């Protein structure tokens, strides 16, 4: 019979060394790799702006229009 490594103490040792943890999706450890999503994320250019974003954009446009000096409407000063 061949001797094998006991997986429980070996796993605990590896977890301490790597500072990893077990999750519902598997073992998680710091690797420096970029995160891979289960489902690809939408490209920023493909999505429509949210209502909040459109409202903010409209406010900015209105503020830009209101900054221009408006012609004075009303009574002119009396001539002497």
């Amino acid at each position: 019979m061949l001797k094998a490594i006991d997986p429980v103490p070996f796993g605990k040792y590896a977890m301490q060394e790597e500072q990893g943890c077990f999750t519902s999706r598997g073992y998680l450890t710091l690797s420096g790799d970029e995160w891979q999503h289960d489902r690809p994320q939408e490209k920023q250019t493909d999505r429509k702006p949210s209502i909040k974003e459109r409202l903010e954009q409209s406010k900015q446009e209105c503020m830009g229009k209101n900054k221009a000096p408006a012609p004075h409407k009303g009574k002119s000063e009396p001539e002497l």
Side-chain angles (χ1 to χ4, degrees):
M1 185 165 161
L2 297 173
K3 292 185 180 181
I5 296 174
D6 189 2
V8 174
F10 181 76
K12 287 180 181 179
Y13 173 77
M15 193 168 72
Q16 287 174 346
E17 287 295 310
E18 295 175 350
Q19 298 178 356
C21 64
F22 288 98
T23 68
S24 62
R25 301 210 178 237
Y27 185 69
L28 192 65
T29 185
L30 294 175
S31 66
D33 295 341
E34 189 173 327
W35 180 260
Q36 299 293 322
H37 293 276
D38 285 345
R39 289 176 248 139
Q41 300 293 313
E42 289 182 6
K43 291 182 181 177
Q44 202 67 349
T45 57
D46 292 347
R47 72 173 189 85
K48 294 180 180 178
S50 69
I51 293 173
K52 187 175 182 179
E53 290 169 334
R54 290 188 297 182
L55 180 61
E56 287 297 320
Q57 184 180 7
S58 297
K59 284 182 182 180
Q60 295 297 326
E61 289 173 5
C62 287
M63 287 176 63
K65 289 179 182 177
N66 290 339
K67 288 183 180 178
H72 180 65
K73 293 182 180 179
K75 294 182 180 180
S76 59
E77 293 185 26
E79 295 179 14
L80 296 174

